[in-house]
Amino acid sequence: MGLLGRMLARADEFRRAPRVVVYEPDNLGHGVAFGADLESALINLPAGRMSMDPGDPDQFARWLDAAGDAYVPRQVFGEYLVDEFWRAVGQARALGWTVDVVPETVAALGKGSANELLVRTPAGVRSFGQVVLGVGSGTTADPYRLSGASGYVVDPYPLAATLPGIAPRSHVLVIGTGLTAIDVVLGLLHLGHDGRITLASRTGILPGPRPQIMPLDPKHLTIDAVRRFESLGLGDVWELLKLELASAGFDADTEISWLLSSASATERLRYQLDRLDAAPIQSIFENLETPVPPMIRAALSADEMLKVAFDYKPYLKSIQCPMPPVSARKLLAVMDSGQLVVAPGITALRHRNGRFEAVARESVPAAEVVIDATRLSPRRTKGRARGLLDSLSAERLASWNSFDGLIVDPRTGRVVAAAPYRLFAYGEITAGELYYASSLPAVVRGANVVAAELVRHDNEVGS
């Protein structure tokens, strides 16, 4: 849906009317994430930052008829996505473009003649000169192999289907402490659950509350600064961040110590909520020039990238993937009451005598219900995209980085290993486990890059 919109934004640049085929068996336009669900499941960006048109940032807020700082239920945003999709289809067809929507699952991708790609579905095979992958998030991980155990919820979505059947006084243990886990907690509270809830993960680090982003102008973490290093190391990156913090008038050591703090989840959340108007690290990250993060990732050695992934990822993800402040306040209230407990250091989870027993840093009471709120990367998914992803490797159309991200050329979105075939990808499948590419702004940026390359190629072929 994002790609069609970005192509339409460049409609007058195409020499020939594009022919577009969209394969989606269900959840057309909104995907699983924004389907019908409990009202407690909120978008994690304010409405003013959820427009599908980067040139019109207030589009969603106008559609919603709400203030730009509102956090609304995800299903409402899903309705907007569906409206936008069909509006884009109608606009494209009015321009003479061919747009077909095929309600089928792509089972495999193969190589055809003349550098064409073969798309296989249960209904047959079609060939295309260009294919774009927009695969969504992976399935739940089931890290302790408990699928099938009585009381084990293998996937929490839709919350409206999985949560109402849970006994209100039961102890619910949620595997994971990310945004999905937050959805589960808020969903249970929304339905009146008054039993204990435990969030258990290796780190126990929650998403931070989304702060007010200060309009900082980076002076040290810039394209020119990164280019000046003959060999950029992780230590250099930390020093550049410290210089940015100092330039903005903040004590760098204090800010970084809280970013990497070993404080309890309750202490971290309380500290973050008290400083929603003074969050310099998030503000620096959000004001970076778009090429800077990939430049840094490309410059770091393999060993340093592993250190980032395994030592710093939980802390970075907590500010990359924040939750609405209203959600954070609800969580802090039930943490203070003792109903919600965050248990770091989980190493095992067993089903015994009808109950679930967790091994963590501190003792966790046995639970009657366990909900898996973890997620595999798209590459490891067990869902319906499995056949497609397997075919990419079998046909040597894909290469993956160490963190399960599909390697693409950031300038064009083309899948590097597929050349000379014109295969593209954007969104979470290109991110792996190291950085976030499935947020709406990141998806729109990725779609814009691909659209620009489609235009360039059309002009090259048509000239």
Side-chain angles (χ1 to χ4, degrees):
M1 186 261 153
L3 179 59
L4 183 58
R6 295 301 82 222
M7 290 173 66
L8 283 166
R10 300 171 178 271
D12 59 353
E13 300 176 39
F14 283 98
R15 284 176 174 265
R16 301 168 300 173
R19 299 181 62 192
V20 180
V21 179
V22 180
Y23 287 96
E24 176 57 59
D26 51 37
N27 299 314
L28 183 63
H30 57 69
V32 174
F34 300 110
D37 213 333
L38 298 180
E39 292 187 355
S40 59
L42 304 178
I43 57 176
N44 70 326
L45 280 170
R49 296 189 59 192
M50 292 293 282
S51 170
M52 289 303 297
D53 183 355
D56 184 8
D58 296 325
Q59 184 192 66
F60 175 55
R62 285 200 311 275
W63 179 93
L64 186 65
D65 193 22
D69 60 355
Y71 291 88
V72 301
R74 285 211 299 269
Q75 64 176 357
V76 174
F77 183 69
E79 294 166 8
Y80 157 75
L81 291 178
V82 172
D83 280 359
E84 279 299 293
F85 175 78
W86 288 113
R87 184 195 63 78
V89 169
Q91 182 182 346
R93 288 172 175 168
L95 291 172
W97 296 14
T98 300
V99 181
D100 295 327
V101 179
V102 181
E104 296 175 4
T105 296
V106 174
L109 199 63
K111 295 177 180 177
S113 60
N115 291 336
E116 295 226 322
L117 289 162
L118 304 177
V119 174
R120 293 185 174 88
T121 71
V125 179
R126 293 179 66 175
S127 64
F128 296 90
Q130 303 180 98
V131 171
V132 182
L133 301 176
V135 178
S137 61
T139 50
T140 51
D142 190 15
Y144 302 104
R145 304 295 184 265
L146 291 169
S147 180
S150 176
Y152 185 76
V153 180
V154 71
D155 191 329
Y157 297 114
L159 304 169
T162 60
L163 301 187
I166 295 174
R169 300 301 300 273
S170 60
H171 175 201
V172 178
L173 188 149
V174 182
I175 309 172
T177 49
L179 289 173
T180 300
I182 304 306
D183 278 352
V184 171
V185 173
L186 295 175
L188 288 168
L189 296 175
H190 176 75
L191 294 171
H193 190 86
D194 55 8
R196 172 171 167 148
I197 305 170
T198 300
L199 298 183
S201 71
R202 287 172 294 182
T203 64
I205 297 174
L206 298 173
R210 183 171 293 280
Q212 298 177 30
I213 299 300
M214 298 179 286
L216 301 180
D217 182 18
K219 299 177 176 60
H220 305 281
L221 273 169
T222 63
I223 293 173
D224 289 340
V226 172
R227 283 177 175 163
R228 282 197 292 269
F229 284 87
E230 291 185 9
S231 178
L232 182 75
L234 196 52
D236 300 318
V237 178
W238 282 116
E239 287 304 315
L240 291 172
L241 177 59
K242 288 180 179 180
L243 289 171
E244 288 290 2
L245 288 165
S247 296
F250 291 88
D251 183 278
D253 290 335
T254 298
E255 296 300 328
I256 291 175
S257 68
W258 268 103
L259 172 66
L260 305 178
S261 173
S262 59
S264 71
T266 304
E267 292 171 321
R268 282 177 64 91
L269 192 55
R270 196 185 313 279
Y271 177 84
Q272 292 165 327
L273 281 169
D274 285 344
R275 291 168 53 84
L276 289 178
D277 59 349
I281 294 181
Q282 290 97 320
S283 298
I284 289 169
F285 285 176
E286 295 230 9
N287 283 288
L288 289 178
E289 298 167 284
T290 301
V292 169
M295 287 174 66
I296 291 173
R297 289 191 294 271
L300 295 179
S301 69
D303 286 344
E304 287 183 316
M305 288 290 283
L306 285 172
K307 184 173 181 62
V308 171
F310 294 107
D311 291 350
Y312 300 131
K313 173 191 167 186
Y315 303 100
L316 295 174
K317 193 170 183 178
S318 73
I319 59 176
Q320 281 184 306
C321 312
M323 60 178 146
V326 63
S327 300
R329 293 188 184 98
K330 289 180 180 177
L331 257 64
L332 185 60
V334 287
M335 292 164 83
D336 283 341
S337 75
Q339 183 183 2
L340 174 64
V341 176
V342 176
I346 185 171
T347 57
L349 183 61
R350 306 181 185 92
H351 186 242
R352 184 181 301 170
N353 299 324
R355 292 161 72 86
F356 295 90
E357 300 173 353
V359 178
R361 192 174 302 161
E362 297 179 2
S363 176
V364 177
E368 289 78 35
V369 177
V370 167
I371 300 175
D372 187 354
T374 62
R375 286 282 157 186
L376 292 168
S377 66
R379 183 189 181 188
R380 307 289 176 183
T381 186
K382 302 171 186 175
R384 64 188 180 204
R386 183 70 267 148
L388 169 62
L389 296 169
D390 286 342
S391 72
L392 295 180
S393 299
E395 294 283 332
R396 297 183 179 179
L397 286 168
S399 56
W400 308 85
N401 62 33
S402 301
F403 309 102
D404 282 352
L406 186 60
I407 299 174
V408 299
D409 183 337
R411 299 166 299 179
T412 63
R414 285 188 69 176
V415 178
V416 173
Y421 296 89
R422 293 184 61 78
L423 178 63
F424 300 83
Y426 67 98
E428 189 166 356
I429 194 172
T430 66
E433 298 180 354
L434 186 56
Y435 66 103
Y436 199 42
S438 58
S439 69
L440 185 71
V443 168
V444 173
R445 283 196 300 269
N448 202 44
V449 167
V450 174
E453 174 59 18
L454 295 178
V455 167
R456 187 206 63 77
H457 180 68
D458 175 72
N459 280 264
E460 181 181 84
V461 172
S463 61

